[in-house]
Amino acid sequence: MLAVFDLLIDWFAQPDYHGCAVVNTVTDTRADVEIAAIARRHLVRYRALLEDRLDGLDLADPAATARQLLLLIEGASVVTAIDGTPAAGQDARNAARHLLAHP
């Protein structure tokens, strides 16, 4: 599961990283109804991917854990775009490691 965060940390460190295109588009359009619907579908798929990655970890509520991980990922993405440094990715990874160790 933490490999997902490792990939994000690498992405956040790219010199042309400017945040998540989906989040940026929703923000730029002030949550236009059609754009927001696309973003919701993206988040549903993202949570499903995370939930799939959690399969076999014997968690009491994998769906809730997937949502929490998604919050860490999306939060780190936004903070990285604003701060201009990839440190939030490592912070999110550390929080995810703690979350998974203490379900």
Side-chain angles (χ1 to χ4, degrees):
M1 180 69 243
L2 295 178
V4 171
F5 287 86
D6 294 334
L7 290 170
L8 291 169
I9 290 167
D10 289 343
W11 181 40
F12 295 166
Q14 297 302 309
D16 61 345
Y17 178 78
H18 299 291
C20 171
V22 173
V23 172
N24 290 344
T25 302
V26 169
T27 303
D28 290 346
T29 64
R30 300 204 186 276
D32 172 84
V33 174
E34 292 178 16
I35 301 295
I38 293 168
R40 274 192 293 285
R41 287 194 302 273
H42 167 72
L43 291 179
V44 166
R45 287 192 303 266
Y46 213 159
R47 277 196 310 270
L49 168 72
L50 294 170
E51 218 174 311
D52 183 59
R53 295 278 135 222
L54 293 170
D55 189 40
L57 293 184
D58 195 33
L59 298 170
D61 191 349
T65 303
R67 184 173 178 83
Q68 292 166 344
L69 292 170
L70 181 60
L71 290 169
L72 291 172
I73 290 167
E74 292 298 334
S77 172
V78 170
V79 169
T80 298
I82 293 169
D83 278 355
T85 129
Q90 186 62 52
D91 292 340
R93 187 187 191 283
N94 293 341
R97 186 179 65 235
H98 180 77
L99 175 67
L100 294 170
H102 303 92

